[in-house]
Amino acid sequence: MSTTKPSPTPTALLPVGEILGRELDARGWTQTDFAAVLDRPTQFVSEIVTGKKEITRESAAQIAAALGHTPEYWLALQDQYLLAEQAKNDVTQHRLNDVRRRARLNTKGPVSLLQKRGILKGATLDELEAEVLELFEIRTFDDEPSFVAAAKRSNENEPIAPLQMAWVACVRRKAREEQPPQKFSPEPLKSLGAALPRILTSPEAFADLPQRLAEVGVHLVYVEALPGAKIDGCAMFVDGFPVIGLSGRGKRLDKVLFTLLHEIAHIALGHVDANTLIVESLDDGAQNDPADQHEEENDLERAANTQASSWVFPNGLTTVPHRIGAPWIANTAAREGIAPIVLVGHLQHLKRLDWRTTLARKAPTVTHILEAW
């Protein structure tokens, strides 16, 4: 009786059932004999030999125990043959090519989400590919968007992520859809920055912000935050004009206001130019952590934060009582001419108030106003 085992790498790929049948013939075993060895029905062996049933991990272990080699060997024989057959199937290969194309699309951004939001409208892969190339202003999918090299983030060691690239690309495209603003000059922008904390005291006051910024030469656009992107705002130049993008991720009036003032400060202080893009997550506090930044980035962020804070509290904040109550918040906010939630948010940032303080309950939100821009 022969105990010859099939070659681990047969020259011609054969169905594993055929190899198994040859092995049984070499041993002089019938399918019924082998079924008895395995303690399985004869039909079970017959279906494997004829290719009607695939070998599973369990049956591979049993075949290996009876005939030698390892379970992995029998599974590999089966996989090699099935994969070779799959490679010959034109329909399957066409579908796999579509999978590769869809995967390539998603390296640039969340295609399904952008479709859901109506940013991408293509019904076919060809149309989607053309739209993605247009959105990112690239010629091939091997190219990087021009703003990637210019991106300056609070943590330089972490590259700009696809979600963030997609959001910035949407900001850039929306800015280009608007009418060009007035000629930009830093001084009028600084004056506006100083006035905004006393203008934006209610959600409704945010309605005409794009027009106000356009009058001092800045595009202001809103693009809803992409889930997981962790972006509150960005500042960059598009076609020679400064652009501020807001995601509204903070929702609260004070958070969106400070993000806006922070980005205005970056532009007014000359931190942004045609070769520099600042993408920030102000809500995560990373921009204030020296351990996560280079000294230059610390300087830029500190300068922007200091400028924004000086616009909110031009004379500095008066002494804060040990026990902070609603009357003190209301009186101080009224004296400063700002919304009470702006003062509450500032004290939360200074850790003088807990983030769960009741003073922040029913805080006004501005998302619905931003969406109307």
Side-chain angles (χ1 to χ4, degrees):
M1 179 174 64
S2 171
T3 58
T4 302
K5 299 174 182 178
S7 168
T9 54
T11 303
L13 290 175
L14 299 173
V16 70
E18 185 174 334
I19 295 173
L20 177 59
R22 291 182 179 184
E23 178 69 13
L24 296 181
D25 290 342
R27 292 171 182 264
W29 289 359
T30 67
Q31 292 182 13
T32 301
D33 293 333
F34 191 51
V37 170
L38 300 181
D39 194 23
R40 289 289 195 105
T42 301
Q43 181 181 354
F44 169 80
V45 175
S46 175
E47 289 179 342
I48 290 179
V49 170
T50 58
K52 295 179 180 178
K53 181 190 290 291
E54 290 188 14
I55 293 176
T56 64
R57 292 190 300 272
E58 179 183 5
S59 55
Q62 291 178 327
I63 293 170
L67 302 180
H69 290 306
T70 64
E72 292 82 4
Y73 168 77
W74 290 100
L75 288 171
L77 284 178
Q78 175 175 263
D79 289 345
Q80 288 171 12
Y81 175 76
L82 293 178
L83 288 171
E85 291 299 297
Q86 179 177 276
K88 301 174 187 176
N89 188 300
D90 291 339
V91 173
T92 299
Q93 290 307 309
H94 178 74
R95 290 173 179 169
L96 290 176
N97 189 52
D98 285 350
V99 171
R100 296 184 189 97
R101 293 173 68 186
R102 287 193 292 269
R104 185 176 64 179
L105 281 172
N106 277 272
T107 63
K108 296 303 181 187
V111 172
S112 295
L113 179 58
L114 296 177
Q115 285 179 296
K116 184 177 180 180
R117 292 194 177 177
I119 297 169
L120 300 178
K121 299 179 171 54
T124 67
L125 272 173
D126 287 342
E127 292 171 345
L128 283 173
E129 286 176 339
E131 285 185 328
V132 169
L133 292 174
E134 184 275 332
L135 175 63
F136 289 99
E137 299 181 10
I138 53 179
R139 297 180 62 184
T140 74
F141 284 95
D142 293 328
D143 298 335
E144 289 286 5
S146 60
F147 54 72
V148 170
K152 292 181 65 68
R153 302 186 60 234
S154 56
N155 184 356
E156 192 179 65
N157 293 325
E158 182 181 351
I160 185 169
L163 280 170
Q164 296 172 328
M165 286 194 293
W167 186 82
V168 171
C170 291
V171 168
R172 179 175 60 183
R173 183 166 77 174
K174 191 167 183 179
R176 285 191 169 137
E177 292 172 353
E178 306 292 337
Q179 292 293 326
Q182 300 295 322
K183 183 178 180 181
F184 169 67
S185 176
E187 293 309 315
L189 181 60
K190 289 180 181 179
S191 297
L192 179 61
L196 285 179
R198 273 144 289 281
I199 293 173
L200 303 177
T201 57
S202 68
E204 292 69 28
F206 282 70
D208 64 352
L209 267 178
Q211 291 77 17
R212 289 181 182 272
L213 268 295
E215 289 171 0
V216 294
V218 178
H219 276 304
L220 175 63
V221 300
Y222 166 72
V223 173
E224 182 183 357
L226 300 177
K230 295 184 179 180
I231 286 182
D232 290 311
C234 74
M236 60 182 171
F237 268 69
V238 177
D239 298 336
F241 291 99
V243 173
I244 292 175
L246 296 180
S247 73
R249 187 167 72 104
K251 295 185 180 180
R252 274 179 19 181
L253 183 152
D254 60 304
K255 293 181 180 294
V256 176
L257 170 60
F258 193 80
T259 298
L260 173 62
L261 294 178
H262 186 90
E263 303 308 331
I264 288 176
H266 273 311
I267 293 174
L269 295 174
H271 299 167
V272 185
D273 55 33
N275 298 312
T276 304
L277 162 67
I278 296 180
V279 181
E280 294 177 304
S281 174
L282 301 180
D283 211 23
D284 292 340
Q287 74 278 6
N288 294 319
D289 186 352
D292 290 338
Q293 299 170 296
H294 291 293
E295 191 60 34
E296 179 186 2
E297 292 172 320
N298 282 328
D299 290 344
L300 295 182
E301 293 305 313
R302 278 198 294 267
N305 279 332
T306 299
Q307 180 66 81
S309 295
S310 73
W311 287 333
V312 180
F313 303 105
N315 300 312
L317 187 59
T318 58
T319 302
V320 180
H322 179 69
R323 294 178 62 86
I324 302 172
W328 182 86
I329 291 291
N331 291 335
T332 303
R335 184 171 62 252
E336 296 288 342
I338 60 177
I341 191 60
V342 173
L343 178 56
V344 169
H346 181 69
L347 294 173
Q348 287 177 319
H349 180 72
L350 296 177
K351 298 184 179 179
R352 295 299 305 272
L353 284 175
D354 189 88
W355 291 104
R356 296 167 294 181
T357 177
T358 58
L359 295 172
R361 287 182 180 175
K362 298 182 180 179
T365 61
V366 299
T367 304
H368 62 294
I369 302 295
L370 305 187
E371 290 172 346
W373 289 358

